PDB file of all heavy atoms in Angstrom:
ATOM      1  N   GLY A  16      89.449  82.219  81.748  1.00 94.00           N
ATOM      2  CA  GLY A  16      90.709  81.957  82.401  1.00 94.00           C
ATOM      3  C   GLY A  16      91.214  83.224  83.090  1.00 94.00           C
ATOM      4  O   GLY A  16      90.625  84.272  83.029  1.00 94.00           O
ATOM      5  N   VAL A  17      92.309  83.079  83.779  1.00 93.00           N
ATOM      6  CA  VAL A  17      92.929  84.177  84.526  1.00 93.00           C
ATOM      7  C   VAL A  17      94.421  84.246  84.224  1.00 93.00           C
ATOM      8  O   VAL A  17      95.107  83.199  84.226  1.00 93.00           O
ATOM      9  CB  VAL A  17      92.722  84.011  86.064  1.00 93.00           C
ATOM     10  CG1 VAL A  17      93.577  84.976  86.817  1.00 93.00           C
ATOM     11  CG2 VAL A  17      91.277  84.159  86.439  1.00 93.00           C
ATOM     12  N   ASP A  18      94.918  85.431  83.943  1.00 90.00           N
ATOM     13  CA  ASP A  18      96.333  85.653  83.733  1.00 90.00           C
ATOM     14  C   ASP A  18      96.785  86.773  84.696  1.00 90.00           C
ATOM     15  O   ASP A  18      96.147  87.810  84.819  1.00 90.00           O
ATOM     16  CB  ASP A  18      96.660  86.079  82.323  1.00 90.00           C
ATOM     17  CG  ASP A  18      96.605  84.904  81.366  1.00 90.00           C
ATOM     18  OD1 ASP A  18      96.954  83.774  81.776  1.00 90.00           O
ATOM     19  OD2 ASP A  18      96.220  85.064  80.194  1.00 90.00           O
ATOM     20  N   ILE A  19      97.902  86.527  85.365  1.00 89.00           N
ATOM     21  CA  ILE A  19      98.413  87.458  86.392  1.00 89.00           C
ATOM     22  C   ILE A  19      99.738  88.025  85.958  1.00 89.00           C
ATOM     23  O   ILE A  19     100.637  87.322  85.567  1.00 89.00           O
ATOM     24  CB  ILE A  19      98.607  86.727  87.757  1.00 89.00           C
ATOM     25  CG1 ILE A  19      97.308  86.050  88.208  1.00 89.00           C
ATOM     26  CG2 ILE A  19      99.086  87.731  88.797  1.00 89.00           C
ATOM     27  CD1 ILE A  19      96.170  87.001  88.513  1.00 89.00           C
ATOM     28  N   ALA A  20      99.847  89.383  86.042  1.00 86.00           N
ATOM     29  CA  ALA A  20     101.128  90.054  85.902  1.00 86.00           C
ATOM     30  C   ALA A  20     101.623  90.345  87.301  1.00 86.00           C
ATOM     31  O   ALA A  20     100.961  91.015  88.091  1.00 86.00           O
ATOM     32  CB  ALA A  20     100.942  91.353  85.105  1.00 86.00           C
ATOM     33  N   TRP A  21     102.808  89.851  87.643  1.00 83.00           N
ATOM     34  CA  TRP A  21     103.339  89.975  89.005  1.00 83.00           C
ATOM     35  C   TRP A  21     104.071  91.289  89.169  1.00 83.00           C
ATOM     36  O   TRP A  21     104.881  91.705  88.337  1.00 83.00           O
ATOM     37  CB  TRP A  21     104.286  88.813  89.317  1.00 83.00           C
ATOM     38  CG  TRP A  21     103.593  87.484  89.223  1.00 83.00           C
ATOM     39  CD1 TRP A  21     103.807  86.494  88.288  1.00 83.00           C
ATOM     40  CD2 TRP A  21     102.587  86.999  90.103  1.00 83.00           C
ATOM     41  NE1 TRP A  21     102.971  85.448  88.514  1.00 83.00           N
ATOM     42  CE2 TRP A  21     102.205  85.711  89.613  1.00 83.00           C
ATOM     43  CE3 TRP A  21     101.934  87.512  91.230  1.00 83.00           C
ATOM     44  CZ2 TRP A  21     101.244  84.927  90.254  1.00 83.00           C
ATOM     45  CZ3 TRP A  21     100.976  86.731  91.857  1.00 83.00           C
ATOM     46  CH2 TRP A  21     100.634  85.459  91.370  1.00 83.00           C
ATOM     47  N   VAL A  22     103.723  91.981  90.253  1.00 81.00           N
ATOM     48  CA  VAL A  22     104.317  93.292  90.543  1.00 81.00           C
ATOM     49  C   VAL A  22     104.853  93.285  91.974  1.00 81.00           C
ATOM     50  O   VAL A  22     104.666  92.349  92.736  1.00 81.00           O
ATOM     51  CB  VAL A  22     103.263  94.408  90.374  1.00 81.00           C
ATOM     52  CG1 VAL A  22     102.795  94.463  88.914  1.00 81.00           C
ATOM     53  CG2 VAL A  22     102.083  94.207  91.315  1.00 81.00           C
ATOM     54  N   ASN A  23     105.497  94.382  92.330  1.00 75.00           N
ATOM     55  CA  ASN A  23     106.079  94.524  93.683  1.00 75.00           C
ATOM     56  C   ASN A  23     105.490  95.762  94.309  1.00 75.00           C
ATOM     57  O   ASN A  23     105.853  96.892  94.007  1.00 75.00           O
ATOM     58  CB  ASN A  23     107.606  94.626  93.576  1.00 75.00           C
ATOM     59  CG  ASN A  23     108.245  94.793  94.955  1.00 75.00           C
ATOM     60  OD1 ASN A  23     107.603  94.622  95.988  1.00 75.00           O
ATOM     61  ND2 ASN A  23     109.515  95.087  94.971  1.00 75.00           N
ATOM     62  N   THR A  24     104.548  95.576  95.248  1.00 75.00           N
ATOM     63  CA  THR A  24     103.924  96.709  95.929  1.00 75.00           C
ATOM     64  C   THR A  24     104.765  97.222  97.107  1.00 75.00           C
ATOM     65  O   THR A  24     104.397  98.199  97.738  1.00 75.00           O
ATOM     66  CB  THR A  24     102.519  96.344  96.437  1.00 75.00           C
ATOM     67  OG1 THR A  24     102.623  95.225  97.333  1.00 75.00           O
ATOM     68  CG2 THR A  24     101.620  95.989  95.272  1.00 75.00           C
ATOM     69  N   GLY A  25     105.844  96.547  97.409  1.00 64.00           N
ATOM     70  CA  GLY A  25     106.721  96.949  98.512  1.00 64.00           C
ATOM     71  C   GLY A  25     107.802  97.934  98.096  1.00 64.00           C
ATOM     72  O   GLY A  25     108.810  98.029  98.777  1.00 64.00           O
ATOM     73  N   MET A  26     107.579  98.618  96.985  1.00 56.00           N
ATOM     74  CA  MET A  26     108.582  99.572  96.500  1.00 56.00           C
ATOM     75  C   MET A  26     108.663 100.789  97.414  1.00 56.00           C
ATOM     76  O   MET A  26     107.767 101.069  98.191  1.00 56.00           O
ATOM     77  CB  MET A  26     108.269  99.971  95.056  1.00 56.00           C
ATOM     78  CG  MET A  26     108.252  98.825  94.074  1.00 56.00           C
ATOM     79  SD  MET A  26     107.718  99.287  92.432  1.00 56.00           S
ATOM     80  CE  MET A  26     109.089 100.339  91.925  1.00 56.00           C
ATOM     81  N   ARG A  27     109.759 101.524  97.273  1.00 49.00           N
ATOM     82  CA  ARG A  27     110.045 102.624  98.190  1.00 49.00           C
ATOM     83  C   ARG A  27     108.915 103.670  98.200  1.00 49.00           C
ATOM     84  O   ARG A  27     108.568 104.184  99.254  1.00 49.00           O
ATOM     85  CB  ARG A  27     111.376 103.261  97.788  1.00 49.00           C
ATOM     86  CG  ARG A  27     111.762 104.471  98.643  1.00 49.00           C
ATOM     87  CD  ARG A  27     113.076 105.034  98.182  1.00 49.00           C
ATOM     88  NE  ARG A  27     113.430 106.200  98.944  1.00 49.00           N
ATOM     89  CZ  ARG A  27     114.500 106.978  98.696  1.00 49.00           C
ATOM     90  NH1 ARG A  27     115.304 106.678  97.684  1.00 49.00           N
ATOM     91  NH2 ARG A  27     114.770 108.021  99.458  1.00 49.00           N
ATOM     92  N   PHE A  28     108.362 103.981  97.056  1.00 49.00           N
ATOM     93  CA  PHE A  28     107.360 105.035  96.981  1.00 49.00           C
ATOM     94  C   PHE A  28     105.942 104.512  96.925  1.00 49.00           C
ATOM     95  O   PHE A  28     105.003 105.228  96.558  1.00 49.00           O
ATOM     96  CB  PHE A  28     107.630 105.959  95.770  1.00 49.00           C
ATOM     97  CG  PHE A  28     108.937 106.636  95.859  1.00 49.00           C
ATOM     98  CD1 PHE A  28     110.029 106.234  95.115  1.00 49.00           C
ATOM     99  CD2 PHE A  28     109.131 107.683  96.751  1.00 49.00           C
ATOM    100  CE1 PHE A  28     111.258 106.883  95.203  1.00 49.00           C
ATOM    101  CE2 PHE A  28     110.349 108.337  96.846  1.00 49.00           C
ATOM    102  CZ  PHE A  28     111.424 107.917  96.088  1.00 49.00           C
ATOM    103  N   GLY A  29     105.758 103.259  97.334  1.00 56.00           N
ATOM    104  CA  GLY A  29     104.398 102.740  97.551  1.00 56.00           C
ATOM    105  C   GLY A  29     103.694 102.218  96.302  1.00 56.00           C
ATOM    106  O   GLY A  29     104.264 102.087  95.236  1.00 56.00           O
ATOM    107  N   VAL A  30     102.411 101.931  96.551  1.00 67.00           N
ATOM    108  CA  VAL A  30     101.578 101.306  95.529  1.00 67.00           C
ATOM    109  C   VAL A  30     101.421 102.189  94.310  1.00 67.00           C
ATOM    110  O   VAL A  30     101.259 101.702  93.181  1.00 67.00           O
ATOM    111  CB  VAL A  30     100.194 100.955  96.130  1.00 67.00           C
ATOM    112  CG1 VAL A  30      99.278 100.361  95.077  1.00 67.00           C
ATOM    113  CG2 VAL A  30     100.367  99.947  97.272  1.00 67.00           C
ATOM    114  N   GLY A  31     101.435 103.509  94.508  1.00 63.00           N
ATOM    115  CA  GLY A  31     101.229 104.428  93.383  1.00 63.00           C
ATOM    116  C   GLY A  31     102.189 104.198  92.249  1.00 63.00           C
ATOM    117  O   GLY A  31     101.839 104.222  91.087  1.00 63.00           O
ATOM    118  N   VAL A  32     103.467 103.939  92.604  1.00 63.00           N
ATOM    119  CA  VAL A  32     104.464 103.650  91.548  1.00 63.00           C
ATOM    120  C   VAL A  32     104.114 102.390  90.816  1.00 63.00           C
ATOM    121  O   VAL A  32     104.253 102.290  89.580  1.00 63.00           O
ATOM    122  CB  VAL A  32     105.866 103.541  92.172  1.00 63.00           C
ATOM    123  CG1 VAL A  32     106.902 103.141  91.151  1.00 63.00           C
ATOM    124  CG2 VAL A  32     106.277 104.881  92.814  1.00 63.00           C
ATOM    125  N   THR A  33     103.626 101.404  91.548  1.00 74.00           N
ATOM    126  CA  THR A  33     103.260 100.130  90.929  1.00 74.00           C
ATOM    127  C   THR A  33     102.100 100.289  89.995  1.00 74.00           C
ATOM    128  O   THR A  33     102.034  99.699  88.930  1.00 74.00           O
ATOM    129  CB  THR A  33     102.915  99.092  92.011  1.00 74.00           C
ATOM    130  OG1 THR A  33     103.887  99.135  93.038  1.00 74.00           O
ATOM    131  CG2 THR A  33     102.870  97.702  91.411  1.00 74.00           C
ATOM    132  N   PHE A  34     101.107 101.151  90.348  1.00 78.00           N
ATOM    133  CA  PHE A  34     100.027 101.440  89.462  1.00 78.00           C
ATOM    134  C   PHE A  34     100.564 101.973  88.120  1.00 78.00           C
ATOM    135  O   PHE A  34     100.138 101.626  87.032  1.00 78.00           O
ATOM    136  CB  PHE A  34      99.090 102.478  90.063  1.00 78.00           C
ATOM    137  CG  PHE A  34      98.209 101.958  91.140  1.00 78.00           C
ATOM    138  CD1 PHE A  34      97.592 102.817  92.054  1.00 78.00           C
ATOM    139  CD2 PHE A  34      97.961 100.575  91.261  1.00 78.00           C
ATOM    140  CE1 PHE A  34      96.789 102.336  93.057  1.00 78.00           C
ATOM    141  CE2 PHE A  34      97.159 100.102  92.286  1.00 78.00           C
ATOM    142  CZ  PHE A  34      96.573 100.987  93.164  1.00 78.00           C
ATOM    143  N   GLY A  35     101.486 102.942  88.232  1.00 76.00           N
ATOM    144  CA  GLY A  35     102.028 103.567  87.045  1.00 76.00           C
ATOM    145  C   GLY A  35     102.743 102.607  86.122  1.00 76.00           C
ATOM    146  O   GLY A  35     102.717 102.755  84.897  1.00 76.00           O
ATOM    147  N   ASN A  36     103.390 101.580  86.736  1.00 74.00           N
ATOM    148  CA  ASN A  36     104.168 100.628  85.934  1.00 74.00           C
ATOM    149  C   ASN A  36     103.289  99.508  85.368  1.00 74.00           C
ATOM    150  O   ASN A  36     103.761  98.723  84.528  1.00 74.00           O
ATOM    151  CB  ASN A  36     105.275 100.002  86.770  1.00 74.00           C
ATOM    152  CG  ASN A  36     106.330 100.993  87.130  1.00 74.00           C
ATOM    153  OD1 ASN A  36     106.479 102.035  86.484  1.00 74.00           O
ATOM    154  ND2 ASN A  36     107.063 100.752  88.214  1.00 74.00           N
ATOM    155  N   SER A  37     102.079  99.385  85.816  1.00 81.00           N
ATOM    156  CA  SER A  37     101.290  98.200  85.429  1.00 81.00           C
ATOM    157  C   SER A  37      99.922  98.592  84.858  1.00 81.00           C
ATOM    158  O   SER A  37      99.759  98.610  83.631  1.00 81.00           O
ATOM    159  CB  SER A  37     101.098  97.286  86.630  1.00 81.00           C
ATOM    160  OG  SER A  37     100.484  97.975  87.723  1.00 81.00           O
ATOM    161  N   ILE A  38      99.006  98.960  85.723  1.00 86.00           N
ATOM    162  CA  ILE A  38      97.622  99.160  85.276  1.00 86.00           C
ATOM    163  C   ILE A  38      97.508 100.401  84.374  1.00 86.00           C
ATOM    164  O   ILE A  38      96.734 100.445  83.441  1.00 86.00           O
ATOM    165  CB  ILE A  38      96.646  99.238  86.468  1.00 86.00           C
ATOM    166  CG1 ILE A  38      95.227  98.952  86.019  1.00 86.00           C
ATOM    167  CG2 ILE A  38      96.760 100.556  87.185  1.00 86.00           C
ATOM    168  CD1 ILE A  38      94.249  98.658  87.151  1.00 86.00           C
ATOM    169  N   ASP A  39      98.330 101.423  84.675  1.00 84.00           N
ATOM    170  CA  ASP A  39      98.327 102.626  83.794  1.00 84.00           C
ATOM    171  C   ASP A  39      98.802 102.317  82.387  1.00 84.00           C
ATOM    172  O   ASP A  39      98.452 102.984  81.409  1.00 84.00           O
ATOM    173  CB  ASP A  39      99.198 103.725  84.397  1.00 84.00           C
ATOM    174  CG  ASP A  39      98.507 104.398  85.555  1.00 84.00           C
ATOM    175  OD1 ASP A  39      97.342 104.095  85.830  1.00 84.00           O
ATOM    176  OD2 ASP A  39      99.118 105.235  86.238  1.00 84.00           O
ATOM    177  N   ASN A  40      99.677 101.293  82.263  1.00 83.00           N
ATOM    178  CA  ASN A  40     100.241 100.928  80.966  1.00 83.00           C
ATOM    179  C   ASN A  40      99.407  99.875  80.242  1.00 83.00           C
ATOM    180  O   ASN A  40      99.841  99.314  79.236  1.00 83.00           O
ATOM    181  CB  ASN A  40     101.647 100.415  81.140  1.00 83.00           C
ATOM    182  CG  ASN A  40     102.638 101.546  81.503  1.00 83.00           C
ATOM    183  OD1 ASN A  40     102.377 102.720  81.210  1.00 83.00           O
ATOM    184  ND2 ASN A  40     103.750 101.162  82.148  1.00 83.00           N
ATOM    185  N   GLY A  41      98.254  99.564  80.772  1.00 84.00           N
ATOM    186  CA  GLY A  41      97.378  98.612  80.124  1.00 84.00           C
ATOM    187  C   GLY A  41      97.799  97.180  80.227  1.00 84.00           C
ATOM    188  O   GLY A  41      97.329  96.294  79.506  1.00 84.00           O
ATOM    189  N   ILE A  42      98.669  96.886  81.236  1.00 87.00           N
ATOM    190  CA  ILE A  42      99.121  95.481  81.430  1.00 87.00           C
ATOM    191  C   ILE A  42      98.011  94.649  82.034  1.00 87.00           C
ATOM    192  O   ILE A  42      97.914  93.464  81.791  1.00 87.00           O
ATOM    193  CB  ILE A  42     100.390  95.474  82.316  1.00 87.00           C
ATOM    194  CG1 ILE A  42     101.564  96.104  81.550  1.00 87.00           C
ATOM    195  CG2 ILE A  42     100.722  94.070  82.737  1.00 87.00           C
ATOM    196  CD1 ILE A  42     102.821  96.218  82.356  1.00 87.00           C
ATOM    197  N   CYS A  43      97.175  95.272  82.873  1.00 90.00           N
ATOM    198  CA  CYS A  43      96.089  94.536  83.506  1.00 90.00           C
ATOM    199  C   CYS A  43      94.880  95.434  83.687  1.00 90.00           C
ATOM    200  O   CYS A  43      94.995  96.708  83.552  1.00 90.00           O
ATOM    201  CB  CYS A  43      96.528  93.961  84.845  1.00 90.00           C
ATOM    202  SG  CYS A  43      97.154  95.205  86.005  1.00 90.00           S
ATOM    203  N   ASP A  44      93.734  94.869  83.999  1.00 93.00           N
ATOM    204  CA  ASP A  44      92.504  95.617  84.218  1.00 93.00           C
ATOM    205  C   ASP A  44      92.123  95.702  85.679  1.00 93.00           C
ATOM    206  O   ASP A  44      91.311  96.570  86.060  1.00 93.00           O
ATOM    207  CB  ASP A  44      91.350  94.996  83.412  1.00 93.00           C
ATOM    208  CG  ASP A  44      91.574  95.063  81.925  1.00 93.00           C
ATOM    209  OD1 ASP A  44      91.919  96.174  81.450  1.00 93.00           O
ATOM    210  OD2 ASP A  44      91.404  94.061  81.243  1.00 93.00           O
ATOM    211  N   ILE A  45      92.653  94.798  86.509  1.00 95.00           N
ATOM    212  CA  ILE A  45      92.306  94.742  87.932  1.00 95.00           C
ATOM    213  C   ILE A  45      93.587  94.651  88.724  1.00 95.00           C
ATOM    214  O   ILE A  45      94.501  93.895  88.375  1.00 95.00           O
ATOM    215  CB  ILE A  45      91.404  93.520  88.240  1.00 95.00           C
ATOM    216  CG1 ILE A  45      90.184  93.507  87.349  1.00 95.00           C
ATOM    217  CG2 ILE A  45      90.999  93.517  89.709  1.00 95.00           C
ATOM    218  CD1 ILE A  45      89.372  92.235  87.434  1.00 95.00           C
ATOM    219  N   PHE A  46      93.667  95.404  89.830  1.00 93.00           N
ATOM    220  CA  PHE A  46      94.815  95.360  90.705  1.00 93.00           C
ATOM    221  C   PHE A  46      94.356  94.745  92.026  1.00 93.00           C
ATOM    222  O   PHE A  46      93.514  95.322  92.732  1.00 93.00           O
ATOM    223  CB  PHE A  46      95.368  96.764  90.945  1.00 93.00           C
ATOM    224  CG  PHE A  46      96.802  96.783  91.388  1.00 93.00           C
ATOM    225  CD1 PHE A  46      97.812  97.092  90.474  1.00 93.00           C
ATOM    226  CD2 PHE A  46      97.133  96.497  92.687  1.00 93.00           C
ATOM    227  CE1 PHE A  46      99.124  97.108  90.880  1.00 93.00           C
ATOM    228  CE2 PHE A  46      98.464  96.510  93.103  1.00 93.00           C
ATOM    229  CZ  PHE A  46      99.466  96.810  92.194  1.00 93.00           C
ATOM    230  N   LEU A  47      94.926  93.562  92.358  1.00 94.00           N
ATOM    231  CA  LEU A  47      94.464  92.825  93.554  1.00 94.00           C
ATOM    232  C   LEU A  47      95.235  93.248  94.779  1.00 94.00           C
ATOM    233  O   LEU A  47      96.255  93.920  94.736  1.00 94.00           O
ATOM    234  CB  LEU A  47      94.699  91.304  93.306  1.00 94.00           C
ATOM    235  CG  LEU A  47      94.127  90.702  92.009  1.00 94.00           C
ATOM    236  CD1 LEU A  47      94.358  89.216  92.021  1.00 94.00           C
ATOM    237  CD2 LEU A  47      92.656  91.004  91.838  1.00 94.00           C
ATOM    238  N   GLY A  48      94.723  92.801  95.955  1.00 91.00           N
ATOM    239  CA  GLY A  48      95.457  92.879  97.197  1.00 91.00           C
ATOM    240  C   GLY A  48      95.537  94.277  97.840  1.00 91.00           C
ATOM    241  O   GLY A  48      96.583  94.616  98.364  1.00 91.00           O
ATOM    242  N   LEU A  49      94.490  95.060  97.793  1.00 90.00           N
ATOM    243  CA  LEU A  49      94.518  96.408  98.340  1.00 90.00           C
ATOM    244  C   LEU A  49      93.647  96.475  99.611  1.00 90.00           C
ATOM    245  O   LEU A  49      92.670  95.774  99.772  1.00 90.00           O
ATOM    246  CB  LEU A  49      94.029  97.431  97.322  1.00 90.00           C
ATOM    247  CG  LEU A  49      94.790  97.480  96.000  1.00 90.00           C
ATOM    248  CD1 LEU A  49      94.176  98.516  95.090  1.00 90.00           C
ATOM    249  CD2 LEU A  49      96.271  97.784  96.237  1.00 90.00           C
ATOM    250  N   ASN A  50      94.046  97.389 100.516  1.00 89.00           N
ATOM    251  CA  ASN A  50      93.230  97.712 101.695  1.00 89.00           C
ATOM    252  C   ASN A  50      92.791  99.167 101.608  1.00 89.00           C
ATOM    253  O   ASN A  50      93.594 100.030 101.213  1.00 89.00           O
ATOM    254  CB  ASN A  50      94.050  97.520 102.970  1.00 89.00           C
ATOM    255  CG  ASN A  50      94.245  96.022 103.303  1.00 89.00           C
ATOM    256  OD1 ASN A  50      93.276  95.248 103.237  1.00 89.00           O
ATOM    257  ND2 ASN A  50      95.466  95.641 103.624  1.00 89.00           N
ATOM    258  N   ILE A  51      91.568  99.423 101.968  1.00 89.00           N
ATOM    259  CA  ILE A  51      91.037 100.774 101.989  1.00 89.00           C
ATOM    260  C   ILE A  51      91.432 101.417 103.314  1.00 89.00           C
ATOM    261  O   ILE A  51      90.806 101.172 104.345  1.00 89.00           O
ATOM    262  CB  ILE A  51      89.499 100.763 101.798  1.00 89.00           C
ATOM    263  CG1 ILE A  51      89.165 100.039 100.500  1.00 89.00           C
ATOM    264  CG2 ILE A  51      88.980 102.195 101.759  1.00 89.00           C
ATOM    265  CD1 ILE A  51      87.655  99.867 100.263  1.00 89.00           C
ATOM    266  N   THR A  52      92.466 102.233 103.298  1.00 83.00           N
ATOM    267  CA  THR A  52      93.025 102.765 104.502  1.00 83.00           C
ATOM    268  C   THR A  52      92.456 104.162 104.814  1.00 83.00           C
ATOM    269  O   THR A  52      92.779 104.732 105.858  1.00 83.00           O
ATOM    270  CB  THR A  52      94.540 102.881 104.433  1.00 83.00           C
ATOM    271  OG1 THR A  52      94.899 103.780 103.355  1.00 83.00           O
ATOM    272  CG2 THR A  52      95.142 101.502 104.196  1.00 83.00           C
ATOM    273  N   ARG A  53      91.698 104.738 103.932  1.00 75.00           N
ATOM    274  CA  ARG A  53      91.174 106.092 104.038  1.00 75.00           C
ATOM    275  C   ARG A  53      92.250 107.137 103.851  1.00 75.00           C
ATOM    276  O   ARG A  53      92.011 108.337 104.122  1.00 75.00           O
ATOM    277  CB  ARG A  53      90.429 106.289 105.340  1.00 75.00           C
ATOM    278  CG  ARG A  53      89.425 105.214 105.715  1.00 75.00           C
ATOM    279  CD  ARG A  53      88.346 105.015 104.685  1.00 75.00           C
ATOM    280  NE  ARG A  53      87.514 106.182 104.487  1.00 75.00           N
ATOM    281  CZ  ARG A  53      86.514 106.515 105.277  1.00 75.00           C
ATOM    282  NH1 ARG A  53      86.177 105.755 106.305  1.00 75.00           N
ATOM    283  NH2 ARG A  53      85.798 107.600 105.062  1.00 75.00           N
TER     284      ARG A  53
END
C-alpha cells in the first residue's frame, strides 16, 4: 500500500525547510514532486 504525508513546498524558504520538517524527522522515506534544476 501507499501512505502520503502532505507537505507544503511553497514555503518562503523553499523545499529545504520542508525536508527538515518531514523526511529528516522520519515521517516518510521518499519525497515526491522534485525537479533537478542543477
Side-chain angles (χ1 to χ4, degrees):
V17 169
D18 284 326
I19 305 294
W21 300 111
V22 297
N23 179 12
T24 58
M26 299 175 68
R27 179 180 178 186
F28 297 105
V30 176
V32 174
T33 314
F34 286 161
N36 293 337
S37 57
I38 200 166
D39 284 354
N40 289 336
I42 292 176
C43 56
D44 295 312
I45 307 172
F46 202 102
L47 309 184
L49 302 179
N50 286 314
I51 303 176
T52 63
R53 312 302 297 280

